[in-house]
Amino acid sequence: MQVDLTVNGVRHALDLDPRVTLLDALRHDLGLTGSKKGCDHGQCGACTVLVNGRRINACLALAVMHEGDEITTVEGLGEPGALHPLQAAFVTHDGFQCGYCTPGQVVSACGMLGEVREGWPSHVSVDLEGPVDLSDVEISERMSGNLCRCAAYTGINEAIREASAKSEAAE
Amino acid sequence: MRPFDYVRAEDTGSATEAARGGATFIAGGTNLLDLMKLEVMAPDRLVDITRLDLGAIERTEVGGLRIGALVTNADLAAHGTVRRNYPVLSRALLAGASGQLRNKATTGGNLLQRTRCHYFYDTSQSCNKREPGSGCAALGGINRIHAILGASEHCIATHPSDMAVALLALDAEVETETADGARRMRPLADLHRLPGDAPDRETVLADGELITAVVLPSAPRGHQAYRKARDRASYAFALVSLASVVAVENGRIARASLAFGGLAPKPWRDPEVEATLIGEVPSEELFDRAADVLLREAKGHGHNDFKIPLTRRVLKAALREAAGMEKPA
């Protein structure tokens, strides 16, 4: 069926089987292979994209259900020579080893920092209504939907903390 | 994934009409699509309800809260009124799934999610829930995550929701609409069925009946908390969980709404446990008596035997916290 998808600000008219996931539409039909297929069951987070600014697992979404939504993939965040602050921080802090989970980590962190800016609490927040202190424990909890088989979590946490501090300083 | 017809509904009437004769509604899809990929579920027709006007959270006339069925788990957990007046609900939601899944999963869908029993997911295994009459591989299999209460010889799967456990402790009601336009309210406690000899029938909803909202009464008095024991610190289903709303007044327990997850095929609440506690002075002996009542018919299946003492400890810890008591040395 005919589906219009807006990805990284560009509108695409696609003819898709209703079974096609958002992840497969991005990778196979639009050639945006930054979003990765890890488990394909919402467990690993490698496919994380932003839909209307919110992070979701693209593998557990049907493309036909996202007509009219604004979809952002890792390609839309930054590119070589013009990295997003999170991408630059992942490089600085070795936030990866093999790199397969990295696009999902970066996009998820981007969505997560937006949630923090909105004051959303997490499971480990002591006070549901207080300001969020982005400690290592908070980052780990909020990023638990993104697995890294190389266990580069130390660098991932450092990268996210630095990018968050820099964006706060810029505000 | 098996082929299916896709219908995008524009309003509740067209959604329930399109679902006549056995279609499946899809909203967040985080559990349904997972099961469709494995061909555990293979609906002929999917009715997309995400365009319906069911995304609001509103105060009710009696001071409660009406939560639209399409409100995401993330938005519900972060909602100011929920954080302030129903913190046990925020806590339960935040203890479940991952940030990505909570952004997609909805209030209605969360209630209707399927069990995470390994044998339900594995189509090479027998499962009375997936294939009625085929047997239950969990009974003699790896049953660490399975039920100790409310199960039957046909099925020992648990209901996996955290959200539903908190809603049950808060006396939530579920609003639905059927294809003939009739609206209906039911206590959440009556939504899910116990497996008996038909574990494939998990709720009392009729074919095509759509959950449109969950309604909470006004904020209860007392201490609200959600405790969850699980194998990982984050992003794991409950082995045992407890949503509690407990009020101690003049040295005696005045209210004890206690709902459990991970124990049973449905979110579990036992009026006899609450009757044991209400009117009494909090003490270790009283809490043990309440645990005895809760666990009077508990039955382990081998790997999950540990849930029986674990449930006792979770209950006693929650009651101690609510009563401001220290753990005895």
Side-chain angles (χ1 to χ4, degrees), chain A residues 19 40-43 48 54-55 57 59-60 64-65 67 108 115 119-120 123 125-126 128 141 144 146, chain B residues 1-2 4 8 27 30 33-34 37 48 51 75 78 83 87 91 94 98 100-101 103 230 234-235:
Chain A
R19 288 174 291 180
D40 209 25
H41 287 280
Q43 296 168 5
T48 304
R54 295 277 176 87
R55 54 180 172 156
N57 301 113
C59 73
L60 289 184
V64 292
M65 291 177 68
E67 189 156 61
S108 182
E115 294 162 9
W120 288 11
H123 171 62
S125 303
V126 176
L128 282 176
E141 165 59 28
S144 70
N146 290 84
Chain B
M1 211 185 287
R2 304 268 183 86
F4 54 84
R8 187 180 291 159
T30 52
L33 291 172
D34 192 17
K37 287 181 183 191
D48 175 358
R51 314 279 157 151
D75 283 331
R83 282 197 257 176
R91 288 289 179 194
L94 294 170
S98 67
Q100 290 96 318
L101 291 169
N103 276 333
R230 48 181 160 174
S234 184
Y235 198 10

Side-chain angles (χ1 to χ4, degrees), chain B residues 228-249:
Chain B
K228 181 172 178 179
R230 48 181 160 174
D231 282 329
R232 289 191 303 251
S234 184
Y235 198 10
F237 290 98
L239 294 166
V240 177
S241 71
L242 168 56
S244 52
V245 184
V246 178
V248 180
E249 291 168 4

Side-chain angles (χ1 to χ4, degrees), chain B:
Chain B
M1 211 185 287
R2 304 268 183 86
F4 54 84
D5 290 332
Y6 171 80
V7 181
R8 187 180 291 159
E10 300 301 332
D11 51 50
T12 51
S14 67
T16 52
E17 182 60 37
R20 268 186 205 270
T24 300
F25 296 120
I26 185 166
T30 52
N31 186 212
L32 177 57
L33 291 172
D34 192 17
L35 290 165
M36 286 171 65
K37 287 181 183 191
L38 298 168
E39 300 191 357
V40 173
M41 292 181 74
D44 295 326
R45 168 179 280 200
L46 276 191
V47 179
D48 175 358
I49 57 166
T50 55
R51 314 279 157 151
L52 271 48
D53 185 19
L54 300 173
I57 301 178
E58 303 157 311
R59 292 276 192 160
T60 64
E61 286 173 10
V62 294
L65 205 63
R66 184 179 185 279
I67 303 158
L70 290 176
V71 173
T72 65
N73 288 178
D75 283 331
L76 185 56
H79 192 269
T81 305
V82 177
R83 282 197 257 176
R84 199 163 46 248
N85 294 347
Y86 307 96
V88 64
L89 178 55
S90 280
R91 288 289 179 194
L93 286 159
L94 294 170
S98 67
Q100 290 96 318
L101 291 169
R102 290 193 295 271
N103 276 333
K104 198 92 168 39
T106 63
T107 304
N110 187 310
L111 293 176
L112 299 182
Q113 66 180 303
R114 313 293 304 272
T115 183
R116 263 58 178 191
C117 172
H118 321 300
Y119 301 99
F120 176 66
Y121 271 70
D122 183 346
T123 53
S124 70
Q125 300 279 342
S126 57
C127 171
N128 287 322
K129 188 184 280 299
R130 175 169 34 75
E131 199 181 330
S134 65
C136 173
L139 275 171
I142 306 292
N143 50 40
R144 191 166 181 280
I145 66 170
H146 289 77
I148 57 169
L149 289 168
S152 74
E153 60 186 320
H154 303 282
C155 183
I156 58 171
T158 56
H159 194 272
S161 174
D162 292 294
M163 181 196 81
V165 175
L167 289 176
L168 185 62
L170 291 167
D171 297 316
E173 294 189 296
V174 179
E175 179 196 280
T176 62
E177 192 169 315
T178 50
D180 55 14
R183 287 217 163 187
R184 184 165 178 177
M185 294 287 283
R186 289 186 186 84
L188 172 60
D190 296 343
L191 176 68
H192 297 99
R193 296 178 70 257
L194 289 177
D197 59 3
D200 55 313
R201 290 172 49 213
E202 296 174 351
T203 72
V204 298
L205 297 180
D207 247 8
E209 188 171 359
L210 176 70
I211 295 179
T212 48
V214 170
V215 180
L216 294 177
S218 59
R221 66 182 199 273
H223 177 78
Q224 298 184 29
Y226 190 70
R227 270 177 191 264
K228 181 172 178 179
R230 48 181 160 174
D231 282 329
R232 289 191 303 251
S234 184
Y235 198 10
F237 290 98
L239 294 166
V240 177
S241 71
L242 168 56
S244 52
V245 184
V246 178
V248 180
E249 291 168 4
N250 302 319
R252 292 181 183 271
I253 297 174
R255 179 189 174 122
S257 304
L258 305 167
F260 295 83
L263 298 187
K266 58 186 272 187
W268 194 257
R269 193 168 164 182
D270 184 337
E272 292 190 40
V273 175
E274 300 177 20
T276 304
L277 291 163
I278 289 171
E280 301 294 325
V281 176
S283 71
E284 289 293 320
E285 294 69 31
L286 176 67
F287 300 165
D288 265 316
R289 225 161 54 230
D292 290 341
V293 172
L294 172 68
L295 296 164
R296 64 194 181 279
E297 290 175 8
K299 183 172 184 296
H301 301 278
H303 300 108
N304 68 346
D305 291 349
F306 74 96
K307 284 190 177 184
I308 297 173
L310 180 59
T311 301
R312 176 179 297 272
R313 289 179 194 145
V314 167
L315 172 60
K316 290 179 69 178
L319 292 172
R320 267 189 221 114
E321 179 187 296
M325 290 162 55
E326 298 287 323
K327 188 176 178 185

